[in-house]
Amino acid sequence: MNTTGIHFIDELALAEKTVFIRCDFNVPLDSDGNITDDTRIQAALPTIKRAIDGGAKVILASHLGRPKGKFNEKYSMLPVGERLRELLGYEIIIPEDVMDSHVDFLLENLDPKKQIILLENLRFNPGEKKNDPEFAARLASLANVYVNDAFGTAHRAHASTYGMVKHFDQKTKVRVGGYLIKRELEQLGQLLDRPERPFIAVMGGAKVSDKLSVLLSLVDRVQGLVIGGAMAYTFLKAKGVEVGASRVEDDLLDDAQAILRRATQSKVEVHLPVDHVIVENFDDEKGITTPDEAIPEGMMALDIGPKTQLLYANVLTDAQTVFWNGPMGVFERDAFAAGTFAVAQAIALSDAKSIVGGGDSASAIQKAGLKEEITHVSTGGGASLEFVEGRKLPGVEALRAHHEFDLG
Ligand code: AMP
């Protein structure tokens, strides 16, 4: 990853400054509004602490869920504020509407040693997703340092990740990346920049369509492609294997064939399941294991079978670099989670530099207690895929600073 022109928060003196930190507080909540996993809040702490310890006034901002441009209590930042208060011991002030001039008053009178402002869910304002210039300008007016630490939304050109950033283009009004984004760029960047071979990509999940472009990009760069999850059945069908009633994207059979052809041309091995755990109905509680790759008529595969687990583990043993995105089966249900956990275990056991794209694979790693064994678990699902594909992320590109920097 070319980080030329990107400065990071550790390069700045922050005393007397007002720092706007775009965080990723898009945490999962239960039906009572309790945070079920605070990993993303914990992950933001180093950057927040750097700002408060540096003596800055701090404004935190994030989106949470999909409130569709209007206030919805269900997606309020209140639980995030409460958790931040517990973790930092600071009073967390949450103004209702950032457009209200009351926020300027709060900011003016903020005690940087005791208080932090946390803006309400940015997506309560329709201007956030639309990248509305007025909304972006208002956000930018609040601070003289902009920090982006929300890698998970770096692939979106929204007001808080993109539009407001261009306002920080003066010696005394600057834009930088936070610690989290810095680590993501360093770690994921190594996958683009001559990764150690063999480089094996493990791709799973629901749809080929979501991952088509990353598959096309990876097939020329890896030495092996391991495919699982529902995606595998489109590939197996493209090869003429019976897949029964398994989930298949018929309109992508040609694309799957094209990927397989390109892999053959590039001498890249594509590993597909050789056995499966199948059910008659999606809701069946238990599955049965097939003896080989064929799936009987009317049956659907919900996980890779034990032979495939071994095969995939073997492929991963020799890897020097691994990128994993997407579960091998319906891992949310215990009866179909074995394949995903076997792959997680194999990646953890290998000596490879291992990078796990966010989302389901990250939660499988977490659930299996294997996080410590993985080189880097990305906080961004979609963002990490786009990055690995080699696409430029608007939130990262916007950080490149061409102006003179007063770092002191
Ligand atoms: P993705 O968001 O694309 O990574 O897909 C994750 C989803 O794919 C999970 O909710 C899994 O339950 C689902 N999934 C994985 N394997 C299968 C399968 N064989 N059949 C149906 N759904 C699957």
Side-chain angles (χ1 to χ4, degrees):
M1 166 67 195
N2 170 16
T3 50
T4 316
I6 301 183
H7 289 275
F8 293 97
I9 190 166
D10 45 355
E11 299 170 49
L12 290 179
L14 295 169
E16 319 271 312
K17 306 247 167 71
T18 302
V19 179
F20 181 107
I21 310 177
R22 181 28 165 123
C23 301
D24 179 3
F25 292 146
N26 187 23
V27 289
L29 300 168
D30 66 16
S31 49
D32 297 325
N34 300 307
I35 297 169
T36 54
D37 178 356
D38 72 350
T39 309
R40 285 182 167 160
I41 300 177
Q42 298 269 6
L45 294 181
T47 295
I48 301 172
K49 283 192 178 145
R50 169 75 178 82
I52 49 185
D53 293 348
K57 289 186 179 179
V58 175
I59 305 163
L60 305 175
S62 173
H63 74 284
L64 173 60
R66 295 189 174 145
K68 308 218 163 81
K70 54 178 191 296
F71 177 82
N72 181 340
E73 201 185 342
K74 208 170 118 190
Y75 299 115
S76 166
M77 282 292 165
L78 285 173
V80 173
E82 181 52 25
R83 188 77 191 107
L84 283 167
R85 188 187 62 74
E86 289 164 5
L87 290 166
L88 294 166
Y90 268 58
E91 182 190 351
I92 310 292
I93 303 169
I94 309 183
E96 252 171 59
D97 182 2
V98 67
M99 301 307 281
D100 194 323
S101 58
H102 176 60
V103 178
D104 303 87
F105 173 81
L106 283 174
L107 202 49
E108 190 65 44
N109 294 289
L110 197 77
D111 180 346
K113 289 199 177 64
K114 290 190 187 135
Q115 300 171 313
I116 287 175
I117 291 181
L118 169 63
L119 299 184
E120 247 311 354
N121 192 336
L122 291 166
R123 291 193 188 165
F124 284 172
N125 190 309
E128 166 63 359
K129 282 184 84 169
K130 281 190 205 140
N131 188 19
D132 175 60
E134 211 178 305
F135 184 57
R138 169 61 179 155
L139 294 178
S141 73
L142 300 172
N144 44 22
V145 176
Y146 169 84
V147 184
N148 191 345
D149 214 19
F151 184 72
T153 42
H155 57 321
R156 306 281 182 228
H158 293 167
S160 66
T161 58
Y162 191 73
M164 70 180 288
V165 191
K166 69 168 187 288
H167 294 274
F168 293 82
D169 61 348
Q170 298 146 39
K171 205 170 164 186
T172 51
K173 191 163 165 106
V174 301
R175 52 193 183 221
V176 295
Y179 289 120
L180 200 59
I181 255 190
K182 186 178 186 191
R183 183 165 154 77
E184 294 278 7
L185 297 181
E186 283 168 0
Q187 294 292 332
L188 291 168
Q190 291 181 43
L191 294 180
L192 297 178
D193 191 16
R194 275 185 251 124
E196 251 193 90
R197 294 162 164 238
F199 175 13
I200 308 291
V202 184
M203 301 298 286
K207 292 195 209 147
V208 181
S209 47
D210 287 348
K211 294 175 189 171
L212 188 62
S213 47
V214 73
L215 282 167
L216 279 166
S217 155
L218 282 169
V219 78
D220 294 327
R221 290 157 38 208
V222 296
Q223 282 66 58
L225 197 53
V226 172
I227 298 183
M231 252 171 57
Y233 307 104
T234 301
F235 280 93
L236 284 174
K237 188 167 177 183
K239 285 184 74 172
V241 176
E242 289 299 331
V243 295
S246 302
R247 197 166 162 171
V248 165
E249 288 162 279
D250 281 312
D251 52 334
L252 289 178
L253 289 172
D254 288 346
D255 293 294
Q257 265 164 0
I259 291 171
L260 293 171
R261 264 198 311 274
R262 253 172 71 181
T264 312
Q265 281 159 10
S266 314
K267 298 197 171 54
V268 171
E269 259 191 280
V270 178
H271 303 276
L272 289 165
V274 293
D275 62 347
H276 321 272
V277 178
I278 57 168
V279 293
E280 201 169 347
N281 299 300
F282 186 79
D283 294 331
D284 288 354
E285 278 177 21
K286 262 191 88 182
I288 47 174
T289 303
T290 60
D292 55 32
E293 62 180 359
I295 298 164
E297 210 181 312
M299 304 293 281
M300 67 179 80
L302 295 189
D303 195 10
I304 57 173
K307 282 187 214 160
T308 312
Q309 288 177 26
L310 267 180
L311 173 77
Y312 288 5
N314 264 332
V315 173
L316 289 163
T317 307
D318 298 328
Q320 287 302 313
T321 308
V322 176
F323 175 64
W324 177 30
N325 179 285
M328 297 291 104
V330 182
F331 83 112
E332 300 92 335
R333 289 153 61 192
D334 288 347
F336 313 106
T340 301
F341 286 122
V343 161
Q345 193 82 45
I347 296 175
L349 282 175
S350 88
D351 294 330
K353 177 185 172 64
S354 49
I355 301 206
V356 175
D360 288 332
S361 347
S363 76
I365 290 286
Q366 187 86 19
K367 235 169 137 180
L370 296 170
K371 200 161 176 227
E372 299 307 313
E373 323 300 326
I374 304 293
T375 314
H376 179 62
V377 179
S378 175
T379 50
S384 69
L385 277 182
E386 287 196 18
F387 187 95
V388 168
E389 194 189 319
R391 292 205 344 217
K392 289 196 157 55
L393 309 185
V396 173
E397 293 311 307
L399 283 182
R400 291 188 200 282
H402 307 293
H403 56 279
E404 221 185 308
F405 239 70
D406 182 3
L407 300 172

